[in-house]
Amino acid sequence: QVQLVESGGGLVQAGGSLRLSCVGSGSIVSVNRWGWYRQAPGKKRDWVASITGTGNKRYADSVKERFTISEDNAKNTVILQMDALKPEDTAVYYCLANLRTITSAAQDYWGQGTQVTVSS
């Protein structure tokens, strides 16, 4: 059984920073891709950033130059460093991992989400 647990959300003023972590546990063999998504109230879940197992990083235009994604696959962990936060960044943030376990082929797993609130 694979579990992804996010942490690091909270309330911050505009211009501030937060660091989100997502740790995977279970019989993980390898992670092909990590991703961060977010969902604001009344809106669909949007992709924010991703990083592949080879270290290729991509960002949504709305967060480029402000957010940084990094990984530590030895610890099955992905980090999202969020700087220069804006009120429009307020959302529940979810991590996604496309990973392989000892008993299954690669598939997507989601975390439970962590709330980020940016006040103006």
Side-chain angles (χ1 to χ4, degrees), residues 1-3 25-28 101 103 109:
Q1 183 77 10
V2 172
Q3 279 194 318
S25 62
S27 54
I28 298 170
T101 71
T103 57
Y109 295 85

Side-chain angles (χ1 to χ4, degrees), residues 9-111:
L11 173 64
V12 65
Q13 287 188 330
S17 299
L18 283 174
R19 185 173 182 267
L20 305 184
S21 298
C22 175
V23 180
S25 62
S27 54
I28 298 170
V29 172
S30 61
V31 179
N32 299 318
R33 172 181 173 270
W34 291 100
W36 284 97
Y37 291 73
R38 65 187 182 186
Q39 187 167 19
K43 296 188 176 181
K44 65 178 181 66
R45 190 173 298 187
D46 288 329
W47 168 74
V48 174
S50 59
I51 182 169
T52 66
T54 56
N56 184 36
K57 303 178 184 182
R58 293 177 60 232
Y59 299 92
D61 287 344
S62 58
V63 306
K64 276 180 183 176
E65 309 300 331
R66 300 188 299 121
F67 290 10
T68 303
I69 189 171
S70 59
E71 67 179 347
D72 183 345
N73 275 335
K75 298 181 180 179
N76 292 326
T77 298
V78 65
I79 302 293
L80 185 68
Q81 177 65 41
M82 305 187 297
D83 299 317
L85 283 161
K86 304 175 181 180
E88 51 263 44
D89 293 319
T90 295
V92 178
Y93 283 71
Y94 299 89
C95 75
L96 168 76
N98 181 272
L99 59 83
R100 185 165 62 92
T101 71
I102 60 174
T103 57
S104 69
Q107 59 182 296
D108 290 342
Y109 295 85
W110 288 94

